[in-house]
Amino acid sequence: MAFEKFDLTGKTALITGAAGLLGMEHSAALLESGATVVMTDISETTLDTAHSQLVQHCNPARIRTQVMDVSQPQVIRTVAETLWAAGLRIDILVNNAAIDPKVKGDHGVLETSRLENFPLDQWNLQVAVGLTGAFLCSQVFGTAMAKDGNGGVILNIASDLSVISPDQRLYRKEGLHEDLQPVKPVTYSVIKAGLVGLTRYLSTYWADKGVRCNALSPGGVFNGQGEAFVKRLSSLIPLGRMAQKDEYRAAVQFLCSDASGYMNGQNILMDGGRSVW
Ligand SMILES: NC(=O)c1ccc[n+]([C@@H]2O[C@H](COP(=O)([O-])OP(=O)(O)OC[C@H]3O[C@@H](n4cnc5c(N)ncnc54)[C@H](O)[C@@H]3O)[C@@H](O)[C@H]2O)c1
């Protein structure tokens, strides 16, 4: 059958940052493919809201929520042990959690998004979640996948900014002095490029144990951003528009299933063509 290899019945997927905009989409995609999904995030409240939306469309036994801060190694280990004790083997790990502060402009005397002023504590926090978090989760869940001989899949959610630099003209605010213009922070580029490096490393590290690792690099998702921003960004995209949030579902289903069984170590750009222009 044509779509047999997409079937994830009997598999369990753990998604980090699962209560966010795309985390919910990844969760819905994998539920649609038949997997049991463990939605993890830092806040119980947002997880409860996400759960109540997704549970309407599937067997409640196939969704589980779990508070898990990906920057805390001990917390990840405790969550893993709880899941294993409940008889769940994590077959698929989606490293999706990130801190992506909206680029607004401080309108003060110092624009902290700019490289010259970017606070070290913000660098440390964002790297801890977006990059170190992916390493820590892969260390715990990937090691377990490799150990028992049944293999698995790790999917890192990167960004089109893993391969291109942010176009800072997108974030410009009329009337602000050059030094006060907000920018996409340096952390975003570093984290996303780092995730591609992690992807390549992991893809070979456990390849002989049947653990594959790929990255998905989405382009900007429309989520009510201002008209001027949307117009400027759309003009940089050959398809002429931002993505809808559900447009990555099929790619997640492909990359997490046997349908992509011979794909390993790749960074799949799904950006309306922005990075080829
Ligand atoms: N939305 C886009 O346009 C877009 C484009 C390209 C890439 N991405 C990437 O997709 C992923 C999801 O983005 P999104 O738009 O859904 O963002 P989002 O902010 O809606 O979701 C991120 C989630 O991560 C969670 N999180 C933050 N700190 C955490 C921590 N310490 N531990 C665990 N979870 C934590 C947040 O609570 C949130 O639910 C990110 O990696 C992002 O960089 C998004």
Side-chain angles (χ1 to χ4, degrees), residues 16-23 26 40-43 46 68-71 95-100 102 129 157-160 188 192 195 217-222 225 242 248:
T16 69
L21 181 72
L22 288 183
H26 308 328
T40 69
D41 209 302
I42 34 170
S43 141
T46 53
M68 184 173 88
D69 181 340
V70 297
S71 67
N95 286 316
N96 168 77
I99 296 177
D100 180 15
K102 297 299 157 238
V129 175
I157 305 299
S159 159
D160 52 1
Y188 200 79
K192 296 310 186 183
L195 280 176
S217 278
V221 177
F222 178 71
Q225 295 92 341
M242 296 181 74
Y248 301 110

Side-chain angles (χ1 to χ4, degrees), residues 13 16 21 34 60 64 93 108 156 164 166 169 179 186-187 194 198 219 268:
T16 69
L21 181 72
R64 200 178 165 125
L93 167 67
N156 292 324
I164 57 173
R169 292 170 299 184
D179 293 348
V186 59
T187 35
L198 179 68
I268 306 303

Side-chain angles (χ1 to χ4, degrees), residues 227-248:
E227 204 179 318
F229 174 83
V230 173
K231 206 170 152 196
R232 265 184 266 170
L233 178 52
S234 300
S235 74
L236 299 177
I237 300 170
L239 288 183
R241 62 175 180 84
M242 296 181 74
Q244 297 298 318
K245 63 180 181 180
D246 63 356
E247 285 188 291
Y248 301 110

Side-chain angles (χ1 to χ4, degrees), residues 90-159:
I90 302 305
D91 305 288
I92 298 162
L93 167 67
V94 182
N95 286 316
N96 168 77
I99 296 177
D100 180 15
K102 297 299 157 238
V103 181
K104 290 195 295 268
D106 293 347
H107 295 284
V109 285
L110 196 69
E111 173 52 45
T112 52
S113 65
R114 296 192 68 81
L115 183 93
E116 296 85 343
N117 312 323
F118 197 70
L120 179 59
D121 61 347
Q122 275 305 306
W123 169 284
N124 287 336
L125 177 68
Q126 291 172 28
V127 171
V129 175
L131 186 54
T132 313
F135 153 66
L136 292 171
C137 291
S138 304
Q139 187 178 47
V140 171
F141 295 105
T143 299
M145 287 174 195
K147 221 173 189 170
D148 71 7
N150 290 319
V153 173
I154 299 174
L155 178 61
N156 292 324
I157 305 299
S159 159

